Amino acid sequence: MAGRARLTPVGAPTRGTTNTNRLRRVDRWLASDPGVTRLLRRGESPLVVDLGYGASPVTTVELARWLARVRPDVRVLGLELDPERVAAALPAADPPRLDFRRGGFELAGTRPVLVRAFNVLRQYAAAEVPGAWQLMLDAMPPEGLLVEGTCDEIGRLVTWVVVGAGGPRTLTLSLRLAELDRPSTVAERLPKILIHRNVPGERVHALMSTLDECWAAAAPHRSFGVRARWTTTVAMLADRGWPVIGNPDRRRLGELTVAWESVAPR
């Protein structure tokens, strides 16, 4: 990525697979997180970039609808490296509220307050991730936030990292509880910066292992429903010293957010 002209699209095309509601879990979180909503409510007509939306613009369209609940005049711009994908998305555009353009990690010369980049960095080497993060953050105002993550094909296992000017801040796991066997199933969808760190001796592996232990210990609560079992699991995790943060009501939705320092690669 180094040495490329700033406005030249930077990155490699993704597979492009997408589905309706695939990113609903992160959209729902974005529309409720206090840090994100405060950011969107500042200034005039804030810009949000959805990077690498894929072969269909459906998830960008959905993002615009969710964020409009927070800020009716929010502008959402979908960026793709592939000009054919941009052309295919343009019929869904509704400028200035929703538009599509060719672009990559350089963010096409825009200055958004928020960037969502999902299933984009999974094809890169882990060593390339910090550089990609920095390239995006360099195009944003100092208070801007990057939400970078991965999910399965139908959005039932989702993870993301929130990154600001000072570096990563949090890791969130969001799981569909109804079909959950054990929480560590989500490890296969960890963000690229962590997925290869799920090995003994690494913090994220300790999180996955402890979550499974707490989930097993909370099994008696399943008679009250899977949500009760999950919230008990998270409470047990916190009791063991893990820095669980965020709104407790979100946990009933199958979410868990921890401070980045607790899972950062060693």
Side-chain angles (χ1 to χ4, degrees), residues 6 19 22 31 37 41 45 73 86 98 109-110 132 158 175 182 198-199 212 222-223 234 245 254-256 266:
R6 186 168 180 80
N19 285 296
R22 187 183 187 189
T37 56
R41 286 171 177 148
S45 189
D73 64 341
V86 176
L98 175 63
T110 64
V158 190
L175 320 173
R182 62 184 188 280
N198 187 31
V199 294
D212 280 354
R222 62 188 171 194
S223 59
V234 175
I245 57 180
E255 285 183 10
L256 166 66
R266 292 190 183 279

Side-chain angles (χ1 to χ4, degrees), residues 15 17-29 58-59 62 66 116 118-119 122 149-160 172-180 185-186 188-189 250 253-255:
R15 291 187 304 164
T17 55
T18 190
N19 285 296
T20 300
N21 285 330
R22 187 183 187 189
L23 299 182
R24 182 178 181 180
R25 288 183 169 273
V26 67
D27 286 346
R28 185 172 58 188
W29 179 86
V58 62
T59 53
E62 291 168 348
W66 277 96
R116 184 184 74 175
F118 257 71
N119 303 307
R122 61 191 301 176
T150 306
C151 68
D152 66 355
E153 286 72 13
I154 52 177
R156 294 182 177 182
L157 299 172
V158 190
T159 71
W160 61 86
T172 297
L173 315 177
S174 184
L175 320 173
R176 179 174 169 81
L177 299 176
E179 296 113 10
L180 188 64
T185 302
V186 78
E188 65 193 39
R189 300 294 174 175
R250 304 294 306 171
L253 301 173
E255 285 183 10

Side-chain angles (χ1 to χ4, degrees), residues 4-200:
R4 300 286 296 273
R6 186 168 180 80
L7 296 184
T8 298
V10 178
T14 63
R15 291 187 304 164
T17 55
T18 190
N19 285 296
T20 300
N21 285 330
R22 187 183 187 189
L23 299 182
R24 182 178 181 180
R25 288 183 169 273
V26 67
D27 286 346
R28 185 172 58 188
W29 179 86
L30 288 168
S32 65
D33 178 74
V36 173
T37 56
R38 280 196 301 269
L39 191 62
L40 293 177
R41 286 171 177 148
R42 294 176 185 168
E44 296 183 5
S45 189
L47 175 65
V48 175
V49 161
D50 187 25
L51 181 66
Y53 55 82
S56 164
V58 62
T59 53
T60 307
V61 173
E62 291 168 348
L63 175 63
R65 289 173 181 164
W66 277 96
L67 296 187
R69 301 180 184 186
V70 179
R71 181 72 185 258
D73 64 341
V74 68
R75 295 173 293 136
V76 175
L77 175 65
L79 294 181
E80 258 293 346
L81 288 171
D82 186 343
E84 292 185 1
R85 292 178 185 175
V86 176
L90 285 176
D94 182 20
R97 185 187 67 86
L98 175 63
D99 209 349
F100 300 90
R101 192 184 306 175
R102 188 165 181 252
F105 296 136
E106 83 301 331
L107 305 183
T110 64
R111 195 164 176 79
V113 297
L114 177 68
V115 174
R116 184 184 74 175
F118 257 71
N119 303 307
V120 173
L121 287 170
R122 61 191 301 176
Q123 64 192 348
Y124 290 82
E128 295 179 283
V129 172
W133 284 353
Q134 193 59 55
L135 192 54
M136 288 183 274
L137 290 167
D138 286 347
M140 302 167 69
E143 70 275 14
L145 293 176
L146 164 64
V147 179
E148 189 266 306
T150 306
C151 68
D152 66 355
E153 286 72 13
I154 52 177
R156 294 182 177 182
L157 299 172
V158 190
T159 71
W160 61 86
V161 179
V162 175
V163 189
R169 299 181 180 180
T170 58
L171 170 71
T172 297
L173 315 177
S174 184
L175 320 173
R176 179 174 169 81
L177 299 176
E179 296 113 10
L180 188 64
D181 178 29
R182 62 184 188 280
S184 64
T185 302
V186 78
E188 65 193 39
R189 300 294 174 175
L190 284 169
K192 187 67 176 191
I193 195 73
L194 291 175
I195 194 166
H196 300 302
R197 298 285 185 164
N198 187 31
V199 294

